[in-house]
Amino acid sequence: MNMLKSRILAAAVVLALVLAVAAVLFWRHGLKGDLGPGVVSGNGRIEATEINLAARVPGRLAEVLVGEGDFVKEGQVLARIQTDILDAQFLEAQAKLRQAKNAIITAQAQVTARESEKLAAEAVVLQRESEAQAAQQRLVRTESLATKNAVSEQNLDDDRARAKSAEAAIKAAKAQVAAAGGAVAAASAQVQDAEVMVEAVQATVGRVQAELDDCTLKAPRDGRVQYLITQPGEVLGAGGKVLNLVDLGDVYLTFFLPETVAGKVALGSEVRLILDAVPQYVIPARVSYVASVAQFTPKTVETASERQKLMFRVKAQIDRGLLEKHLERVKTGLPGVAWVKIDAQAEWPSHLALKLPQ
């Protein structure tokens, strides 16, 4: 009796093992078995674009406004660097800017004064020319009278002297006009120098303002904070990393295909993904990248079988719109399997029909 029970128990164990093996074989056949000549598969891991948020200017980290795992939006302030020194430099630059603008006003006033002096000098020239014309006319009359002995030689000499003096006065007045013109040019040059100084100081103000803006670290795109690198109070150098951000809208599975298959994969080809962590879902994707160089190669490639060992990296990009609907579920680093259509006319088997989380 005991022997019969033992045989029955042994038979039951063997049957259970057979059923288990059959189930495994059925699963493998259904999931990885004969997919037809138009579909191939490869193992890979989920990855996403990562960004290290870093400081452009050195300084002490004042505060970090997010924590690990937080979702952030593009333009959101994530951290700040102390700006005491830059604030002082900004105030100094603004003061110099006001000083430079006042210098322009002063120089312009000098130009106006010099131009007035030039106008006055030109008026003197007209006056001297009028006086010289009167002196010349008087000299002509005196010389006419002198021929008739109607005036003395002294009067003639005096009129001649007055005419020469008037001509000299004209030259002196014109020299004053020229000097006034030089003064105007010098004052105008001072205005230009002052304007250049304003531009230089404005550039300094802009530079300091840009550095102040860079002390406020903002998210360059939507994403999630993976981990903090620096804590408040620590001193950062230029380029010092503050935190790591992952763009959950740029997620892909990287996998490898042999040389005999990779050459048939076209960009944009349909892909279906099944991740080990959530095997109940079938996720759509498309090929966005196929390596042009093998990722690992034997030392020598002499036979056809060795050439088949060449493996090429392929990326299957998940649609951004789909990712945005399920941001809370997106995880990087998860392993999975990718099935790729190398024949656009091939049909997906039933077990690779799309199944997405609700």
Side-chain angles (χ1 to χ4, degrees), residues 31 57 67 79 93 99 112 191 202:
L31 206 59
V57 296
Q99 184 179 18
T112 302
V191 171
Q202 284 176 334

Side-chain angles (χ1 to χ4, degrees), residues 142-304:
T142 303
E143 287 177 339
S144 176
L145 293 173
T147 58
K148 300 176 182 180
N149 295 320
V151 294
S152 65
E153 288 293 329
Q154 183 62 48
N155 288 337
L156 180 59
D157 292 340
D158 290 343
D159 289 343
R160 287 174 177 170
R162 289 190 186 94
K164 291 181 179 180
S165 177
E167 291 295 331
I170 290 174
K171 292 180 180 180
K174 287 183 176 180
Q176 289 293 327
V177 171
V184 170
S188 298
Q190 290 180 351
V191 171
Q192 293 177 356
D193 291 343
E195 290 173 345
V196 170
M197 181 59 67
V198 167
E199 292 177 359
V201 178
Q202 284 176 334
T204 301
V205 171
R207 176 185 59 79
V208 178
Q209 181 63 64
E211 292 182 353
L212 283 170
D213 293 340
D214 286 336
C215 288
T216 301
L217 306 182
K218 299 179 181 180
R221 62 178 74 178
D222 295 352
R224 184 176 62 203
V225 178
Q226 282 207 112
Y227 50 85
L228 302 180
I229 301 173
T230 308
Q231 298 299 325
E234 295 186 45
V235 176
L236 294 166
K241 298 175 183 178
V242 177
L243 55 85
N244 178 272
L245 189 69
V246 59
D247 182 359
L248 297 181
D250 186 12
V251 178
Y252 49 89
L253 186 138
T254 299
F255 59 101
F256 294 88
L257 292 176
E259 177 268 341
T260 54
V261 174
K264 301 177 183 178
V265 177
L267 293 178
S269 299
E270 289 186 63
V271 183
R272 298 290 166 89
L273 308 177
I274 295 182
L275 304 180
D276 293 358
V278 283
Q280 69 272 26
Y281 299 131
V282 178
I283 304 168
R286 289 195 176 272
V287 173
S288 62
Y289 171 81
V290 179
S292 58
V293 179
Q295 301 303 302
F296 42 93
T297 310
K299 291 182 179 179
T300 58
V301 180
E302 298 176 352
T303 67

Side-chain angles (χ1 to χ4, degrees), residues 96-106 108 194 198 202:
K96 289 183 178 179
L97 180 59
R98 290 192 295 270
Q99 184 179 18
K101 288 181 177 179
N102 290 335
I104 289 180
I105 296 173
T106 301
Q108 289 174 338
V198 167
Q202 284 176 334

